[in-house]
Amino acid sequence: MNEFLRPLIQRAVLEIVDYSHSKRTEMVQLKRKLPYCVMSYLKTGEALLRVNGKEYHCGAGDAIFVPPNVEHDHVKLSREETEFMWWHFNFRTSYNIDVSSLMNLPYKVHIQNTSDFERKFIAYLEAIENEVTISDMIHKNAKAMEILACVFDNFLLSESMEAAFNIPQIFVDIFEDVTSAPRADMSLTTLSRKYHMSPTYISNKFKDYYGISPIFLQRNMLFEKAKIYLISTEKGINEISDLLGFSEHAVFTRFFTKRAKISPKEFRDTNY
């Protein structure tokens, strides 16, 4: 595993948006662009995926993966009955980075152990139906992670796997700078001086690679760290402001209040 992805995957949360196990004889989904990942597995039958003008013909045992916000067509070419097991999901960090998009997964792969995948998918559906208690919910979430692991294993081991993790090292370094110890006094100007590139170029290319600008990522992380300090420590609000690198305590209060809709003190009082 590329090492810079490890902390992202460890912090990522799987959110299932929709799912189904169904049979269809017709399907015409054109120019579809969804704000989440699409995974569709064919137990039987046929279907066609079209992305960026390239066609992927799918049969029994094949699975497709489409990242968020990628326009695609998904259609059936015949009246033959096709049995689908599909999932719409997000796999994001709390900082709003879509981890699956960073993996450069191929759009289509053949699942090596189809019976194992199908068994895990059915077990997930059964866990949803039987969810009553908190332990049932945890069990359901574990089953969902099993499916995700199975899908990623097959896609990452595919011979059609593209050269993944092709982010230039300099932007991996910038990512580590932003995320390893986020501080409010880090700016595009400081990054520009350190890496000898223009602020606009850094911001635009970083967003191309990670789906989020470095400053937006930094602010998300500062907000999350501020919440952790307020809830889990007894540090004073001014001390938290200093630890996070804010130039003035009032700036920190405005920053936090804008995002939380309540002041740091009110947030702490509410969550203690």
Side-chain angles (χ1 to χ4, degrees), residues 160-179:
S160 60
M161 180 72 185
E162 299 176 12
F165 320 119
N166 56 354
I167 298 174
Q169 184 60 45
I170 193 167
F171 280 94
V172 174
D173 294 341
I174 292 173
F175 180 88
E176 291 176 348
D177 270 359
V178 174
T179 59

Side-chain angles (χ1 to χ4, degrees), residues 4-24:
F4 97 90
L5 277 177
R6 187 180 298 276
L8 289 179
I9 292 174
Q10 289 173 339
R11 292 194 294 252
V13 175
L14 176 62
E15 174 198 11
I16 309 301
V17 179
D18 201 1
Y19 57 89
S20 182
H21 178 197
S22 58
K23 297 178 181 180
R24 305 183 65 165

Side-chain angles (χ1 to χ4, degrees), residues 42 58 159 169 192 196 209 231 254 259:
L42 277 66
C58 304
E159 292 181 359
Q169 184 60 45
S192 174
H196 309 291
Y209 293 129
I231 293 173
R254 287 196 299 270
R259 284 158 181 78

Side-chain angles (χ1 to χ4, degrees), residues 24-258:
R24 305 183 65 165
T25 56
E26 295 181 352
M27 183 174 69
V28 181
Q29 297 169 337
L30 302 177
K31 297 187 180 300
R32 187 168 69 161
K33 184 188 290 187
L34 301 174
Y36 35 74
C37 300
V38 175
M39 189 287 296
S40 184
Y41 167 80
L42 277 66
K43 184 175 181 179
T44 62
E46 59 76 29
L48 172 73
L49 174 70
R50 186 181 299 112
V51 186
N52 297 326
K54 187 172 181 179
E55 295 186 342
Y56 302 85
H57 293 268
C58 304
D62 290 337
I64 66 161
F65 172 82
V66 182
N69 302 308
V70 172
E71 186 175 282
H72 61 283
D73 301 336
H74 198 197
V75 300
K76 278 185 53 56
L77 300 178
S78 73
R79 299 280 296 179
E80 176 189 4
E81 183 177 80
T82 299
E83 186 172 354
F84 291 97
M85 293 177 168
W86 58 263
W87 237 22
H88 295 164
F89 67 94
N90 286 313
F91 191 50
R92 296 179 176 274
T93 70
S94 58
Y95 315 129
N96 204 34
I97 295 178
D98 176 54
V99 177
S100 58
S101 293
L102 298 179
M103 295 182 176
N104 292 334
L105 301 177
Y107 290 117
K108 172 196 167 186
V109 70
H110 186 77
I111 300 295
Q112 297 301 313
N113 190 336
T114 56
S115 60
D116 180 58
F117 175 81
E118 292 166 11
R119 177 181 56 79
K120 289 176 177 177
F121 197 93
I122 295 300
Y124 171 68
L125 297 182
E126 291 174 349
I128 293 173
E129 292 177 359
N130 297 325
E131 183 182 353
V132 177
T133 66
I134 292 176
S135 61
D136 292 336
M137 179 184 67
I138 295 171
H139 176 72
K140 177 199 70 176
N141 292 343
K143 292 300 179 184
M145 291 300 291
E146 282 188 16
I147 298 176
L148 186 67
C150 182
V151 169
F152 280 178
D153 273 349
N154 278 272
F155 276 86
L156 290 170
L157 295 173
S158 167
E159 292 181 359
S160 60
M161 180 72 185
E162 299 176 12
F165 320 119
N166 56 354
I167 298 174
Q169 184 60 45
I170 193 167
F171 280 94
V172 174
D173 294 341
I174 292 173
F175 180 88
E176 291 176 348
D177 270 359
V178 174
T179 59
S180 60
R183 289 180 54 84
D185 49 14
M186 186 215 74
S187 68
L188 286 174
T189 301
T190 57
L191 291 174
S192 174
R193 288 171 181 162
K194 180 174 181 178
Y195 292 101
H196 309 291
M197 295 183 288
S198 76
T200 300
Y201 182 81
I202 289 175
S203 183
N204 290 342
K205 295 301 290 185
F206 191 98
K207 188 172 183 179
D208 286 344
Y209 293 129
Y210 296 106
I212 186 173
S213 74
I215 298 305
F216 193 70
L217 173 60
Q218 171 213 39
R219 290 171 180 168
N220 285 352
M221 295 189 72
L222 288 171
F223 181 54
E224 293 298 324
K225 287 182 73 70
K227 289 193 294 184
I228 291 171
Y229 280 136
L230 289 166
I231 293 173
S232 61
T233 77
E234 296 183 357
K235 297 180 187 299
I237 291 172
N238 289 349
E239 184 182 0
I240 294 171
S241 172
D242 292 338
L243 285 169
L244 296 178
F246 284 88
S247 57
E248 298 178 11
H249 301 152
V251 174
F252 168 68
T253 298
R254 287 196 299 270
F255 165 85
F256 189 91
T257 303
K258 181 178 179 181

